[in-house]
């Protein structure tokens, strides 16, 4: 505390920030104990909507590949993108290994279809949006993967945790 007081003497702005943050602590503590209010009636329809998108993405991937590819398999996606399709291999910036992470897929999407991505795309990745992009020349495999991956992410990280078993 004494070290912090000396710091505050040298930098009065940091003291203001500290005091503001301290006033937030009771509110943060209460919200952590009570949780966040959720409109439970809207959760099941949202789950159904995103489950339909997951299935549509899977169906598009299966149709494009000609067999039931596992859309969650990075290895299968790497084979299709880099070996079958011959796309330039995207490497992870740290491991330098081939990757199909979201950044790599975004780079490939831009290379194979130079149409600006919708800045609100995360909210609007629907089957219709993906089909429209494919119709305009986007790569079907990449677009189907994005539809599936986004819907699967929203389901697993945001919607399904809201449902009590």
């Amino acid at each position: 505390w004494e070290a912090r007081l000396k710091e505050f003497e040298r930098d009065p702005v940091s003291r203001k920030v500290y005091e503001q943050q301290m006033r937030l602590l009771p509110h943060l503590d209460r919200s952590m104990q009570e949780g966040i209010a959720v409109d439970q009636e809207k959760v099941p329809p949202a789950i159904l909507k995103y489950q339909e998108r997951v299935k549509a993405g899977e169906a598009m991937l299966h149709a494009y590949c000609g067999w039931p590819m596992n859309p969650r398999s990075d290895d299968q996606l790497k084979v299709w993108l880099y070996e079958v399709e011959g796309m330039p291999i995207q490497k992870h910036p740290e491991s330098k290994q081939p990757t199909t992470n979201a950044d790599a897929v975004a780079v490939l999407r831009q290379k194979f279809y130079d149409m600006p991505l919708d800045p609100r795309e995360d909210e609007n990745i629907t089957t219709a949006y993906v089909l429209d992009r494919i119709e305009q020349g986007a790569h079907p495999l990449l677009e189907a993967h994005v539809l599936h991956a986004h819907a699967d992410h929203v389901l697993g990280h945001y919607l399904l945790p809201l449902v009590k078993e």
Side-chain angles (χ1 to χ4, degrees):
W1 180 246
E2 288 175 8
R4 179 145 305 169
L5 288 174
K6 287 179 185 176
E7 180 70 27
F8 290 154
E9 287 173 13
R10 284 195 311 268
D11 184 9
V13 174
S14 66
R15 182 179 195 112
K16 271 189 171 179
V17 170
Y18 175 79
E19 288 171 355
Q20 288 173 347
Q21 289 177 343
M22 290 302 290
R23 284 186 286 227
L24 287 175
L25 285 178
H27 303 288
L28 293 172
D29 186 44
R30 190 185 78 244
S31 70
M32 293 297 288
Q33 289 177 10
E34 294 175 8
I36 298 172
V38 174
D39 186 346
Q40 288 295 320
E41 291 179 9
K42 292 186 179 181
V43 174
I47 289 173
L48 289 175
K49 177 171 75 173
Y50 281 92
Q51 284 173 335
E52 288 172 7
R53 291 179 186 180
V54 166
K55 288 178 186 172
E58 282 180 14
M60 287 180 200
L61 286 167
H62 297 172
Y64 184 82
C65 297
W67 59 281
M69 172 189 176
N70 178 356
R72 292 176 188 87
S73 170
D74 288 334
D75 291 336
Q76 288 183 20
L77 189 59
K78 285 177 199 171
V79 167
W80 269 98
L81 293 178
Y82 304 138
E83 294 177 26
V84 176
E85 296 290 325
M87 293 184 185
I89 296 174
Q90 303 299 303
K91 295 193 176 182
H92 192 277
E94 293 171 11
S95 71
K96 307 298 182 208
Q97 297 298 313
T99 183
T100 56
N101 67 16
D103 291 336
V105 170
V107 167
L108 293 172
R109 286 176 79 202
Q110 283 299 122
K111 283 186 184 219
F112 284 88
Y113 183 55
D114 192 22
M115 179 178 125
L117 295 173
D118 184 339
R120 300 164 295 139
E121 183 178 82
D122 280 351
E123 305 161 18
N124 298 323
I125 299 179
T126 64
T127 305
Y129 172 76
V130 166
L131 290 174
D132 184 51
R133 283 182 57 88
I134 292 170
E135 197 172 290
Q136 294 179 41
H139 197 285
L141 180 62
L142 294 171
E143 299 303 312
H145 171 72
V146 166
L147 174 64
H148 178 274
H150 180 263
D152 194 52
H153 176 78
V154 170
L155 271 173
H157 288 84
Y158 302 106
L159 294 174
L160 293 178
L162 296 174
V163 180
K164 293 182 180 175
E165 293 188 30

